[in-house]
């Protein structure tokens, strides 16, 4: 349980909040002084001078705030939607990036909603102007209007951190690679803004998609179990063109989702030296409540089962997504960065985890968020 003590002292306040006895994975402890939502001091111990307004006794492990860079959290939608704080602060996640739920015609409504959340909320703008109102949002090319995209990127520069194109048969219809070609053109016309690309069933074929992607582009659903995925089903070998894409700097993101994470594919990739760059959930209300996603912590546990270390898992939900989406003051515990933290513990207890194809595994160690600090304010998690 997080212990919070409030001090009201006469005089100058040195810090708004001091987090004490925060433990790193290497076993070191530190105190962190926070002022105006920013990290102001990091030390082995910050002396108690009677001027600190609030003290939080961590008593557990602490990392930079977890970032889930692929969620769907605009609650006014009907196909894919959720509530930012139910997938964010309640689950140990301090920052979420909505991955293209909305487009140029409804991003302003999402922005107004997002401002009310405790969780930090950012958005990828769907290149289809209404976002994912229907499953086939890119089957009608008239919905892709570059001028509208540019207008909204200019209007919401702090909120929109990238663009999104879903490149699978059910989404693009008979349009093949054309939506992605247009997305790349939009990207180049807007200062090479980050581009996330969803993959699924063919056409278009994964090899064609990867040929169009460049260094810094994000491929999500990287470990799906579909025929159009990264693994040859017969041999369990990763397809050669996938390795070429990684070599040129394409970023691989998990994007677990209802139908996009397969244990066999993830393990085959791991055994062949291929790891995801970032870990995300593709969470929305149905796969949060009914599984197999549930929350970011559970997705992290699945990667630990595959063989990833906890230290690299934490990097893939903190500094890596922050860098990928140019969140310059998030993802690290450094002076001057945002005071966003996740406080968590490890519990040695069995748990059954399930991938998107119904395969189950049993793990014996869980990672459980206890509380978060967002902009210098602390909240308890509700798992």
């Amino acid at each position: 349980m997080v212990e919070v003590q409030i001090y009201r002292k006469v005089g100058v306040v040195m810090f708004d909040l001091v987090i004490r006895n925060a433990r790193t994975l290497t076993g070191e402890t530190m105190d962190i002084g926070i002022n105006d939502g920013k990290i102001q001091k990091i030390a082995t111990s910050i002396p108690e001078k009677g001027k600190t307004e609030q003290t939080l006794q961590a008593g557990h492990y602490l990392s930079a705030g977890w970032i889930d860079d692929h969620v769907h959290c605009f609650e006014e939608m009907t196909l894919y939607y959720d509530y930012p704080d139910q997938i964010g602060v309640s689950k140990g996640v301090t920052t979420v990036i909505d991955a293209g739920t909305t487009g140029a015609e409804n991003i302003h409504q999402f922005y107004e909603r997002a401002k009310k959340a405790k969780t930090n909320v950012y958005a990828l703008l769907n290149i289809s102007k209404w976002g994912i109102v229907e499953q086939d949002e890119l089957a009608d090319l008239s919905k892709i209007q570059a001028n509208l995209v540019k207008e909204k990127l200019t209007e919401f520069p702090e909120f929109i951190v990238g663009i999104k194109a879903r490149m699978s048969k059910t989404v693009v219809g008979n349009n093949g690679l054309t939506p992605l070609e247009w997305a790349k053109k939009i990207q180049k016309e807007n200062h090479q803004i980050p581009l996330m690309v969803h993959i699924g069933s063919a056409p278009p074929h994964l090899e064609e998609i990867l040929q169009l992607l460049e260094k810094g582009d994000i491929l999500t659903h990287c470990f799906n179990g579909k025929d159009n995925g990264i693994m040859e089903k017969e041999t369990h070998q990763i397809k050669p063109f996938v390795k070429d894409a990684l070599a040129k700097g394409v970023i691989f993101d998990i994007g677990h989702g209802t139908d996009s994470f397969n244990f066999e594919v993830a393990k085959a990739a791991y055994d062949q030296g291929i790891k995801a760059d970032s870990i995300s959930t593709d969470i929305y209300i149905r796969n949060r409540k009914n599984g197999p996603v549930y929350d970011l912590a559970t997705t992290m546990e699945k990667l630990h089962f595959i063989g990833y270390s906890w230290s690299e898992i934490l990097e893939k939900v903190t500094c890596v997504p922050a860098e990928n989406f140019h969140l310059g003051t998030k993802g690290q515990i450094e002076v001057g960065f945002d005071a966003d933290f996740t406080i968590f513990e490890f519990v040695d207890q069995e748990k059954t985890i399930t991938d998107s194809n119904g395969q189950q595994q049993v793990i014996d160690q869980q990672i459980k968020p206890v509380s978060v600090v967002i902009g210098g304010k602390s909240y308890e998690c509700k798992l």
Side-chain angles (χ1 to χ4, degrees), residues 87-151:
I87 60 175
V89 59
S90 294
K91 303 293 187 179
V93 176
T94 62
T95 298
V96 296
I97 301 177
D98 182 279
T101 308
T102 55
E105 296 285 10
N106 50 6
I107 189 72
H108 60 285
Q109 296 167 278
F110 181 31
Y111 173 70
E112 292 302 324
R113 286 275 191 176
K115 287 194 299 185
K116 300 174 184 177
K118 299 181 181 73
T119 309
N120 300 307
V121 182
Y122 297 94
L124 304 183
L125 186 70
N126 197 309
I127 62 169
S128 179
K129 65 179 182 177
W130 290 107
I132 314 176
V133 175
E134 297 175 332
Q135 189 68 264
D136 61 347
E137 76 265 17
L138 294 176
D140 179 357
L141 293 176
S142 70
K143 293 180 180 177
I144 307 174
Q145 296 187 18
N147 60 325
L148 284 180
V149 172
K150 186 171 186 177
E151 178 184 310

Side-chain angles (χ1 to χ4, degrees), residues 104-262:
E105 296 285 10
N106 50 6
I107 189 72
H108 60 285
Q109 296 167 278
F110 181 31
Y111 173 70
E112 292 302 324
R113 286 275 191 176
K115 287 194 299 185
K116 300 174 184 177
K118 299 181 181 73
T119 309
N120 300 307
V121 182
Y122 297 94
L124 304 183
L125 186 70
N126 197 309
I127 62 169
S128 179
K129 65 179 182 177
W130 290 107
I132 314 176
V133 175
E134 297 175 332
Q135 189 68 264
D136 61 347
E137 76 265 17
L138 294 176
D140 179 357
L141 293 176
S142 70
K143 293 180 180 177
I144 307 174
Q145 296 187 18
N147 60 325
L148 284 180
V149 172
K150 186 171 186 177
E151 178 184 310
K152 296 306 172 182
L153 292 176
T154 302
E155 186 176 351
F156 301 107
E158 302 299 321
F159 181 55
I160 302 174
V161 295
I163 57 176
K164 174 78 178 289
R166 299 202 305 150
M167 294 301 298
S168 56
K169 182 179 180 179
T170 55
V171 178
V172 303
N174 297 320
N175 288 327
L177 287 171
T178 301
L180 181 54
E181 292 169 344
W182 289 17
K184 290 297 294 179
K185 186 172 184 293
I186 290 169
Q187 179 189 39
K188 287 178 171 57
E189 291 173 349
N190 292 278
H191 311 290
Q192 207 65 23
I193 190 168
L195 166 65
M196 176 181 279
V197 177
H198 150 124
I199 58 170
S201 299
H205 293 282
L206 179 59
E207 184 171 10
E208 298 173 308
I209 293 170
L210 288 174
Q211 285 174 350
L212 286 178
L213 298 189
E214 301 169 281
K215 181 179 181 180
D217 291 339
I218 300 108
L219 182 91
T220 193
H221 308 316
C222 66
F223 294 152
N224 73 57
K226 299 171 184 177
D227 291 337
N228 195 38
I230 69 170
M231 186 185 80
E232 292 284 3
K233 291 290 186 69
E234 295 78 12
T235 64
H236 277 214
Q237 293 299 302
I238 301 304
K239 299 170 182 176
F241 62 79
V242 172
K243 298 176 182 179
D244 293 341
L246 287 166
K248 69 179 178 180
V250 174
I251 295 164
F252 276 29
D253 177 69
I254 293 293
H256 188 306
T258 303
D259 196 34
S260 296
F261 178 80
N262 180 278

Side-chain angles (χ1 to χ4, degrees), residues 257-366:
T258 303
D259 196 34
S260 296
F261 178 80
N262 180 278
F263 283 131
E264 288 184 2
V265 175
K267 188 64 167 66
Y270 182 84
D271 290 343
Q272 293 168 57
I274 294 173
K275 297 180 181 180
D277 297 291
S278 54
I279 298 172
S280 66
T281 60
D282 185 20
I283 198 168
Y284 65 104
I285 195 165
R286 289 191 293 279
N287 66 32
R288 170 170 64 85
K289 290 187 173 181
N290 303 324
V293 177
Y294 298 111
D295 49 51
L296 182 58
T298 300
T299 302
M300 293 160 67
E301 290 165 352
K302 293 174 185 180
L303 274 296
H304 188 250
F305 166 79
I306 294 298
Y308 294 58
S309 70
W310 284 121
S311 61
E312 64 184 329
I313 286 170
L314 288 171
E315 288 179 355
K316 294 174 192 299
V317 297
T318 55
C319 57
V320 172
E323 181 179 353
N324 291 344
F325 290 101
H326 307 162
L327 305 179
T329 57
K330 296 192 183 298
Q332 298 185 52
I333 303 175
E334 298 286 349
V335 171
F337 276 62
D338 294 347
D340 294 348
F341 308 99
T342 300
I343 297 169
F344 60 95
E345 61 183 344
F346 294 107
V347 178
D348 294 328
Q349 181 179 335
E350 285 193 353
K351 174 180 175 179
T352 300
I353 52 176
T354 307
D355 72 6
S356 296
N357 300 109
Q359 300 177 77
Q360 293 188 331
Q361 304 289 344
V362 177
I363 59 173
D364 56 16
Q365 187 178 55
Q366 302 174 40

